[in-house]
Amino acid sequence: RNFYYITMLRDPVSRYLSEWKHVQRGATWKTSLHMCDGRSPTPDELPTCYEGDDWSGVSLQEFMDCSYNLANNRQVRMLADLSLVGCYNLTFMNESERNMILLQSAKNNLKNMAFFGLTEFQRKTQYLFERTFNLKFISPFTQFNVTRASNVDIGEDVRQRIEDLNFLDVQLYEYAKDLFLQRFQYSKQEEHQKNRLKRREERRLLREQRAHQLPRGEAAELAVTEDYNSQV
């Protein structure tokens, strides 16, 4: 089969807060194998942030304080080719080199996907999806501006801390938003040009139809007049 790979990206701060609320309610990723290069990471490579069955009731401060929390830069890690940096083995290369490779890999994979959208631009995402796959949804996408993440009241210092923890995701999202809006603008211009050509062809066919219905002398006079007006 031929598969089309698509994904949705979200504002890194909102996404991080949403995952924290999800974990706070008892969600875990215990069934995730985190396979890379044919194996799962060892407990030393990927330690857990909590003891017991889950991390329910975790505070935002505790969530941020766990240095090996997989919520940090999750979007980059899930889009990048981890085998390029030794998977979850953090001693494979220095941190700055690892981060640079992960970010570039995530950008390349995102750019080469058949489609990606942004949760903050639901209508534009729908438009591009329909144009990309030549289909039409029966109802418009809904933009929800009120979410669990938006209901979390955080100060500027906490927001800055979350951005620092997700600095790779922040860079990826800026890249994705710029590319997304470029594609949207290009598709709109292409659509307008196609519609202009279609209207021009319709007017031409209408003139020919009218010319066939008129006597020869009147048709010639009409053609000259319309040609002059169109050039003006």
Side-chain angles (χ1 to χ4, degrees), residues 36-37 39 45 81-99 101-102:
C36 181
D37 275 350
R39 70 174 183 87
E45 291 174 333
D81 180 1
L82 297 184
S83 64
L84 297 174
V85 294
C87 299
Y88 292 90
N89 181 5
L90 300 183
T91 63
F92 187 77
M93 61 178 61
N94 66 67
E95 185 178 4
S96 60
E97 184 181 4
R98 176 185 175 88
N99 290 336
I101 293 174
L102 284 176

Side-chain angles (χ1 to χ4, degrees), residues 195-209:
N195 289 336
R196 282 197 302 269
L197 293 175
K198 182 180 178 180
R199 289 193 298 269
R200 183 182 300 175
E201 182 64 15
E202 289 174 348
R203 288 195 297 267
R204 186 186 66 80
L205 293 174
L206 181 60
R207 285 197 302 270
E208 290 180 356
Q209 183 180 6

Side-chain angles (χ1 to χ4, degrees), residues 167-205:
F167 71 103
L168 294 178
D169 274 10
V170 170
Q171 295 178 73
L172 175 67
Y173 188 79
E174 287 302 314
Y175 169 82
K177 185 164 68 171
D178 181 62
L179 181 58
F180 176 85
L181 294 177
Q182 283 186 49
R183 290 180 176 179
F184 176 78
Q185 188 65 31
Y186 177 81
S187 293
K188 277 292 186 181
Q189 291 174 351
E190 192 177 46
E191 182 185 34
H192 291 160
Q193 184 178 13
K194 183 178 179 180
N195 289 336
R196 282 197 302 269
L197 293 175
K198 182 180 178 180
R199 289 193 298 269
R200 183 182 300 175
E201 182 64 15
E202 289 174 348
R203 288 195 297 267
R204 186 186 66 80
L205 293 174

Side-chain angles (χ1 to χ4, degrees), residues 62-227:
E62 291 173 320
F63 195 74
M64 293 188 297
D65 286 345
C66 180
S67 59
Y68 33 85
N69 190 346
L70 289 183
N72 300 342
N73 296 309
R74 183 179 289 279
Q75 295 182 107
V76 164
R77 191 178 61 258
M78 294 188 74
L79 280 171
D81 180 1
L82 297 184
S83 64
L84 297 174
V85 294
C87 299
Y88 292 90
N89 181 5
L90 300 183
T91 63
F92 187 77
M93 61 178 61
N94 66 67
E95 185 178 4
S96 60
E97 184 181 4
R98 176 185 175 88
N99 290 336
M100 181 182 66
I101 293 174
L102 284 176
L103 179 59
Q104 191 58 51
S105 176
K107 287 180 177 180
N108 291 339
N109 288 334
L110 181 72
K111 181 178 64 176
N112 293 325
M113 280 187 170
F115 170 83
F116 75 87
L118 304 178
T119 58
E120 286 74 24
F121 298 94
Q122 289 291 329
R123 295 296 175 85
K124 289 182 173 64
T125 294
Q126 177 179 0
Y127 173 82
L128 282 178
F129 192 99
E130 291 174 340
R131 293 272 296 177
T132 300
F133 297 110
N134 193 28
L135 55 79
K136 196 75 174 177
F137 288 97
I138 60 174
S139 59
F141 286 12
T142 303
Q143 185 73 56
F144 291 105
N145 293 319
V146 178
T147 63
R148 288 190 175 91
S150 66
N151 288 328
V152 178
D153 187 19
I154 58 173
E156 189 56 38
D157 55 336
V158 174
R159 173 174 290 275
Q160 185 60 55
R161 174 84 189 282
I162 294 174
E163 289 182 356
D164 291 343
L165 290 171
N166 294 274
F167 71 103
L168 294 178
D169 274 10
V170 170
Q171 295 178 73
L172 175 67
Y173 188 79
E174 287 302 314
Y175 169 82
K177 185 164 68 171
D178 181 62
L179 181 58
F180 176 85
L181 294 177
Q182 283 186 49
R183 290 180 176 179
F184 176 78
Q185 188 65 31
Y186 177 81
S187 293
K188 277 292 186 181
Q189 291 174 351
E190 192 177 46
E191 182 185 34
H192 291 160
Q193 184 178 13
K194 183 178 179 180
N195 289 336
R196 282 197 302 269
L197 293 175
K198 182 180 178 180
R199 289 193 298 269
R200 183 182 300 175
E201 182 64 15
E202 289 174 348
R203 288 195 297 267
R204 186 186 66 80
L205 293 174
L206 181 60
R207 285 197 302 270
E208 290 180 356
Q209 183 180 6
R210 290 173 60 188
H212 286 306
Q213 294 172 351
L214 294 173
R216 172 176 287 184
E218 294 182 23
E221 181 180 352
L222 178 63
V224 172
T225 303
E226 288 196 352
D227 182 68

